[in-house]
Amino acid sequence: MTIRVSLFAAMLCLGSDPLAGQTVPAPAQNLARPAVARNPLDDFSQTVQRLIRDVSPAVVDVVVQSFGGLENQSNGRANTVSHQTREATGVLISADGYVVTNAHVVLTAQRIQIRFGDTPAGRRPPVQAEIVGIDQETDLAVLKIPGAGWNFLPFADSSKLHQGEVVLAVGNPRGLENSVSMGIVSAAERMLDPDSSQAFVQTDAPINPGNSGGPLVNTRGQIAGINTFIVSSSGGNEGLGFAIPSNLVKEICAQLKHYGRVRRGELGVVVRSVTPTIAKALSLPQESGVLIQDVTPGKAAAEAGVQINDIVVRVKGRSVTNLRQFSNNLFRSEIGEKLELEVLRDSARIKLEVALQEPNRDGDALLDQLKERAVPVARIGILAVPLDSETAGLISEPRHEAGTIVAARLQTSFIFQEELEPGDVIFGINGQPAGSIDGLKGLVNGLPEGSPLVVQVQRQGILRYLVLSGD
């Protein structure tokens, strides 16, 4: 025994380890951060939670029922039309029930239902929504739900957004209602094309199908943008999400609420952004600005002396370097207002005054001529005038002597599968002739609830049937 102990002691003295090659577990340690009086991460987490609780009641689920084609796998064509339901997101922007979402969400809607998330007081029952107005150019739509006292979100000033600012995307991706994702503003004004008239808020906050129409909110719970699309090679989120800036959303919504459409002025020119490539190829004096490609004869720009190859460098005293800035100046100006354009022509700077005009709209022109005789037909959402000897000259070769001309569309609570357009001539309803406005009213008002409504019209010289409603 004595020898063995001495040998063990000697090995220790020489640095030898009798347990060499064996694993000895390290003493257990508590890796959690010790409690402190103030934890910045906890503060941030609690702030985000409060923000989500404040924002979520104003974010709604937009359920759209419509008709769509089913693709035939053998030929790649949509040979079958079926009733379809899809979900997207919207956000309440006023206490009286106005909701903003994307135009592509509701463009072909037959029926729109708004659903709400859970609240401490319980879940509100779903309600039907009416379309107030749609603007396809900006991909925005305004809906209206009945009632008042709704929770809503205010708009932020998107001109004050900064790269790196924290934002949250709130919505219903793939039907998972009230989902929240967080990211930053990757770019405050991203133009995907130099000739685009619109810039977007780019974010890396995850956005997926179903987020369309939902808000991108800042840390103050304000709408910084409306999520509209992603750039993806896989179809899923890759950190490249885009939202329509709140300042543009606010302006578009105001016009849709007031007019039912967006009134855009025109000068009578065709323009594009000047790029280094264009400047070099055309020997232009500078590489920025807006190039006049064409001037429409008889329009305001032609009368003011604007010429092809002029480069617009300032509008109303504000510098213009691209098409988006040029378009924004026109959009924010009043119809009829005279705009001072500063153009570069052969290295000389010239100032011209051009009146902003509203584009000719066939329906508006028709209504102006016939407004004294126009009669509403509310059931199908139109203003109508009779086809007779006085009005027949407005229609190119009418196919029948008696009918009703659609002068304009009315804002209506009915959502139709297909739309009547100004200039259409109505000849029949469900196979019955409608030779007068009174006859037309009698036929549509006499239809039982749930009956199909098929209208025979002449459009651009061609007879066709439009299905306004019916399964």
Side-chain angles (χ1 to χ4, degrees):
M1 173 65 88
T2 302
I3 296 174
R4 290 179 181 173
V5 172
S6 299
L7 180 60
F8 184 78
M11 292 173 66
L12 289 177
C13 292
L14 293 173
S16 300
D17 185 356
L19 301 178
Q22 300 183 35
T23 302
V24 179
Q29 298 181 39
N30 183 354
L31 299 179
R33 181 172 180 166
V36 292
R38 184 178 182 84
N39 184 337
L41 289 178
D42 284 344
D43 290 344
F44 177 73
S45 176
Q46 291 168 13
T47 299
V48 172
Q49 291 175 55
R50 284 195 300 270
L51 176 62
I52 293 169
R53 285 197 299 269
D54 292 342
V55 165
S56 293
V59 181
V60 298
D61 191 8
V62 181
V63 183
V64 177
Q65 296 179 0
S66 62
F67 287 89
L70 295 178
E71 187 175 293
N72 187 314
Q73 294 183 356
S74 63
N75 59 20
R77 297 177 181 176
N79 294 332
T80 305
V81 175
S82 68
H83 194 267
Q84 299 179 351
T85 300
R86 62 183 184 275
E87 294 184 43
T89 308
V91 57
L92 281 148
I93 57 171
S94 66
D96 53 350
Y98 284 96
V99 176
V100 64
T101 187
N102 284 145
H104 73 260
V105 169
V106 299
L107 193 58
T108 60
Q110 182 189 21
R111 185 175 291 105
I112 302 172
Q113 189 179 66
I114 300 296
R115 295 178 183 170
F116 307 92
D118 290 321
T119 67
R123 176 175 291 217
R124 289 178 179 267
V127 297
Q128 298 298 315
E130 299 176 5
I131 295 177
V132 174
I134 294 176
D135 184 55
Q136 289 182 257
E137 186 167 327
T138 55
D139 194 25
L140 289 170
V142 173
L143 314 177
K144 180 70 169 65
I145 58 177
W150 296 102
N151 293 305
F152 69 95
L153 298 185
F155 288 106
D157 182 352
S158 56
S159 69
K160 296 180 179 179
L161 277 178
H162 298 290
Q163 191 175 42
E165 186 172 337
V166 173
V167 287
L168 303 174
V170 189
N172 306 297
R174 303 193 183 279
L176 301 174
E177 63 182 34
N178 227 355
S179 296
V180 181
S181 57
M182 185 172 67
I184 62 170
V185 173
S186 304
E189 291 188 337
R190 176 68 72 196
M191 293 183 64
L192 301 180
D193 186 314
D195 284 322
S196 173
S197 60
Q198 188 170 338
F200 298 91
V201 179
Q202 181 185 335
T203 178
D204 69 343
I207 295 173
N208 288 291
N211 274 116
S212 290
L216 187 71
V217 300
N218 62 18
T219 53
R220 293 172 294 284
Q222 301 168 324
I223 301 171
I226 295 296
N227 300 319
T228 184
F229 68 94
I230 61 174
V231 173
S232 171
S233 58
S234 65
N237 171 69
E238 294 181 3
L240 292 172
F242 296 87
I244 305 162
S246 57
N247 286 358
L248 179 59
V249 177
K250 186 177 181 180
E251 292 172 355
I252 294 294
C253 288
Q255 291 214 34
L256 292 178
K257 288 167 66 176
H258 191 267
Y259 302 109
R261 60 183 176 87
V262 175
R263 299 177 68 195
R264 289 182 173 84
E266 68 171 13
L267 303 178
V269 292
V270 180
V271 295
R272 68 172 301 156
S273 296
V274 177
T275 64
T277 299
I278 291 175
K280 182 177 180 180
L282 300 181
S283 301
L284 300 179
Q286 65 179 49
E287 297 181 349
S288 65
V290 174
L291 178 66
I292 303 294
Q293 301 180 102
D294 196 10
V295 180
T296 306
K299 294 290 186 177
E303 294 174 357
V306 178
Q307 297 181 11
I308 295 174
N309 290 334
D310 281 351
I311 300 174
V312 181
V313 293
R314 300 182 79 84
V315 177
K316 297 171 67 172
R318 290 189 286 267
S319 177
V320 168
T321 60
N322 55 46
L323 181 58
R324 181 183 63 82
Q325 294 174 349
F326 179 82
S327 298
N328 284 347
N329 277 289
L330 267 59
F331 181 73
R332 294 188 172 98
S333 302
E334 295 292 330
I335 302 295
E337 181 181 350
K338 286 195 173 181
L339 309 185
E340 183 185 77
L341 304 187
E342 186 174 326
V343 304
L344 200 58
R345 182 184 300 167
D346 298 328
S347 299
R349 287 182 178 262
I350 302 171
K351 292 184 178 180
L352 303 168
E353 280 199 345
V354 186
L356 188 64
Q357 301 174 328
E358 187 166 14
N360 291 333
R361 297 167 58 92
D362 293 339
D364 291 346
L366 187 61
L367 182 58
D368 285 342
Q369 296 180 56
L370 303 174
K371 58 184 176 183
E372 297 299 328
R373 300 184 59 189
V375 175
V377 184
R379 178 62 182 81
I380 54 176
I382 63 169
L383 280 176
V385 293
L387 176 65
D388 54 26
S389 58
E390 183 179 344
T391 61
L394 300 171
I395 303 300
S396 176
E397 299 181 0
R399 303 289 286 272
H400 300 289
E401 293 182 357
T404 300
I405 303 173
V406 178
R409 287 203 297 243
L410 292 173
Q411 183 176 318
T412 175
S413 60
F414 297 103
I415 299 174
F416 301 113
Q417 293 172 227
E418 299 176 337
E419 295 285 352
L420 292 162
E421 296 180 357
D424 286 349
V425 186
I426 300 173
F427 291 127
I429 300 290
N430 289 359
Q432 300 296 314
S436 66
I437 292 179
D438 287 340
L440 174 63
K441 285 184 174 181
L443 287 171
V444 297
N445 293 335
L447 290 174
E449 184 71 23
S451 296
L453 176 54
V454 178
V455 184
Q456 185 189 40
V457 303
Q458 177 181 332
R459 178 178 295 173
Q460 297 177 347
I462 299 172
L463 290 175
R464 65 186 70 200
Y465 289 106
L466 300 179
V467 179
L468 300 194
S469 64
D471 293 332

